[in-house]
Amino acid sequence: MSEPKTAEPAPSLTYEQARAELATVVERLESGGSTLEESLALWERGEELATICQRWLDAARARLTPSDS
């Protein structure tokens, strides 16, 4: 298998882009066949993408939740 592609910097990813790339990362990890180094790189990228998705979701929730002020 080839090295994980270098993706866009995190701030420029939309939620949909991050989620789609995360799904691809999970698919590649589940399929196996990667070297340990490739798997670690994929895992780390997956963690970054999950964090990006969570930030988007947290921001959306904050917009929908009335503040206590």
Side-chain angles (χ1 to χ4, degrees), residues 3-4 7 10-11 13-14 20-21 23-26 28 30 35 40 48 50-51 53 60 62-64 67-68:
E3 288 290 319
L13 291 176
T14 66
E21 187 180 342
T24 300
V25 167
V26 169
R28 287 185 63 190
E30 288 178 342
T35 66
L40 287 171
E48 292 171 3
T51 298
C53 288
R63 289 177 59 191
L64 296 173
S67 63
D68 292 332

Side-chain angles (χ1 to χ4, degrees), residues 38-55:
E38 288 170 336
S39 295
L40 287 171
L42 284 166
W43 181 269
E44 290 169 348
R45 181 61 180 163
E47 290 285 331
E48 292 171 3
L49 293 164
T51 298
I52 293 167
C53 288
Q54 190 60 55
R55 285 184 189 143

